[in-house]
Amino acid sequence: MAGNGTASISAAERSAMARARELALLGPRGVNPQVGAVILSPDGRVLAEGWHRGAGTPHAEVDALSKLAPGEARGATAVVTLEPCNHTGRTGPCAVALLEAGVARVVHAAADPGEASSGGAARLAVAGVEVERLDEAEGEALIADWLFVQRTGRPRVTVKWAQSLDGRAAAADGSSRWITGPEARAHVHRERSAHDAIAVGTGTVLADDPKLTARIPGVDDAPQPLPVVFGERDIPAAAALRAHPRGLRTAGRDIEAELRALAADGIQSLYVEGGPTLASAFIRAGLADRFTIYLAPTLLGGPRTAIDAIGVGTIDEQRRLAVTRLEQLGRDLLVEATTESEQ
């Protein structure tokens, strides 16, 4: 039978689900979701663990089952962070693999949202396997960006800028280093590392020659975002970006089309760190989902505003945001917000 209650979930299954989430994070972010699985014996012992290592490789459940001898999974429980898939793509259906292995019970977290791949839980239940759902919210949080891509066809976009209290991103002569202090700049590097890609415009590349790497003290192998440069001007051969460890990707002016192309290549999240022109273009197009804004306690005046025209002509057209976090970073204030549709 299938259920979504938690009364029948054992302590061993809860522990296995926490472990499965840890295993999922060992896999890469990309076109497919990060998924972890743990196989438990009928008395709650861990028999095997597995995770998905990327497109074309065995899914987490199959990876775990492959570590068991034939018949060893009979009567076992599979605990997995995502509902077992029910379709044949580059690999076969995980629901069928579990049935063929003789698994008697499946506990999963998030439901599979795919039109072709969903239905695994129902298929298992019809075949007589006990199916329960556990920690659905945690399971969805684990693959939140991937789920966003499935719903929208594009990566989730975070737009970042730093500004003075009077809304300026630079002094009148264009100089901007540094408006914010070291604590805020360190936070930016952590944000870079937390995103799959980072975007700037060619104007920023030509003016600032940024590296766009994530540099975190004490962390030598911090995940690096793929740099994406929007615009049509050539990038100099000597630009610092050409030495980026992830390489370099160029993009045209059609932001929505470029975002869909990034999603097709497995990019789930994009951090827009360009200047006012690029940030405003994303906002104006309705393609900014989250905002990370650093407010420095300083006044600059002049024309160099942090945001340009975003298509707001009257007060009734204002783009309202929901503030999700306020934090003091040294002397600066971090404001994180989302569009109301993200709530």
Side-chain angles (χ1 to χ4, degrees):
M1 58 177 295
N4 56 10
T6 59
S8 61
I9 304 295
S10 70
E13 290 167 347
R14 293 180 186 279
S15 177
M17 184 63 79
R19 174 58 178 162
R21 288 196 293 270
E22 293 176 354
L23 293 167
L25 294 175
L26 298 176
R29 289 166 59 91
V31 175
N32 289 350
Q34 294 170 296
V35 182
V38 176
I39 308 298
L40 298 176
S41 69
D43 61 358
R45 292 178 295 106
V46 174
L47 297 176
E49 299 178 338
W51 65 92
H52 183 50
R53 290 168 172 79
T57 66
H59 289 187
E61 304 95 313
V62 175
D63 181 49
L65 290 172
S66 71
K67 299 170 184 176
L68 299 176
E72 194 175 356
R74 190 160 301 281
T77 295
V79 179
V80 60
T81 57
L82 181 65
E83 176 187 4
C85 69
N86 190 38
H87 82 306
T88 299
R90 295 186 184 182
T91 60
C94 292
V96 172
L98 293 168
L99 288 172
E100 292 177 345
V103 167
R105 179 173 166 85
V106 171
V107 178
H108 71 89
D112 191 321
E115 290 185 12
S117 57
S118 62
R123 184 172 189 169
L124 289 163
V126 167
V129 175
E130 292 184 9
V131 179
E132 293 285 351
R133 189 175 298 176
L134 171 67
D135 294 346
E136 182 177 9
E138 289 87 345
E140 290 184 353
L142 179 69
I143 54 173
D145 288 335
W146 181 82
L147 289 171
F148 183 92
V149 174
Q150 307 315 299
R151 294 196 306 269
T152 66
R154 65 171 179 83
R156 191 194 304 270
V157 173
T158 299
V159 174
K160 165 263 178 182
W161 68 82
Q163 67 171 63
S164 62
L165 285 183
D166 58 347
R168 269 58 180 181
D173 66 354
S175 59
S176 60
R177 295 186 178 181
W178 296 102
I179 291 177
T180 55
E183 295 86 355
R185 297 198 297 274
H187 187 269
V188 169
H189 283 277
R190 294 194 296 273
E191 285 292 289
R192 288 179 177 180
S193 186
H195 287 78
D196 297 331
I198 182 170
V200 295
T202 51
T204 295
V205 173
L206 296 173
D208 299 338
D209 193 25
K211 295 180 180 178
L212 298 186
T213 52
R215 302 182 293 280
I216 302 175
V219 181
D220 296 330
D221 57 348
Q224 297 293 327
L226 170 70
V228 181
V229 181
F230 284 81
E232 297 175 348
R233 286 179 284 181
D234 292 335
I235 300 171
L241 270 180
R242 293 198 178 275
H244 196 283
R246 288 285 302 277
L248 171 64
R249 180 166 178 154
T250 57
R253 293 184 178 276
D254 188 336
I255 295 176
E256 187 165 5
E258 295 292 353
L259 288 179
R260 293 187 181 280
L262 287 170
D265 288 339
I267 299 299
Q268 299 178 18
S269 60
L270 178 68
Y271 190 59
V272 177
E273 200 178 324
T277 299
L278 187 64
S280 301
F282 271 86
I283 298 170
R284 190 164 53 248
L287 296 172
D289 308 299
R290 294 179 174 178
F291 298 83
T292 300
I293 304 163
Y294 303 91
L295 298 177
T298 188
L299 302 173
L300 294 175
R304 306 275 185 167
T305 56
I307 292 295
D308 295 332
I310 59 171
V312 174
T314 71
I315 196 66
D316 291 337
E317 297 171 339
Q318 62 185 294
R319 307 287 184 97
R320 290 194 177 276
L321 305 178
V323 174
T324 57
R325 181 183 179 191
L326 290 172
E327 182 179 346
Q328 187 95 25
L329 296 176
R331 295 182 61 195
D332 306 312
L333 181 65
L334 166 66
V335 180
E336 292 184 349
T338 68
T339 58
E340 292 186 334
S341 62
E342 276 277 283
Q343 294 299 297

